[in-house]
Amino acid sequence: SCLDPAAQVTAWERTRAFPALGPASADPRVQAPVPFLGGQVVAPAWREASRAMPALGFDRIEPVAAELLLRELEEVVVRGKAVDQAIADARAELARRIARQRR
């Protein structure tokens, strides 16, 4: 699970995905030198950078917008639809869906 500190430390060891959870980022294995970065200990700098970044909220309409854009992209690439028309269609469909959710 992404909320499991042990899983985050494992992800760090395998892919160098810096842990988001405080307890995981404090793990000694995360504090170790990173060979592919010349043996530098990067965790303290990455931890400070992550603390300085504001948390982003999730907009529930975002997956809908992504789906619409991908659908219109396919129309452009595969079927030759005009880009301006594809953007206009995606925008209009998104507006319709938002309006429907607000009712």
Side-chain angles (χ1 to χ4, degrees), residues 10-36:
T10 299
W12 165 257
E13 291 177 322
R14 292 185 183 163
T15 66
R16 297 297 182 221
F18 190 73
L21 298 175
S25 69
D27 187 286
R29 292 171 289 175
V30 176
Q31 305 299 320
V34 178
F36 75 90

Side-chain angles (χ1 to χ4, degrees), residues 1 13-14 21 23-24 28 42 46 70 91 103:
S1 161
E13 291 177 322
R14 292 185 183 163
L21 298 175
V42 296
W46 287 358
L70 286 174
R91 184 176 285 138
R103 287 187 227 154

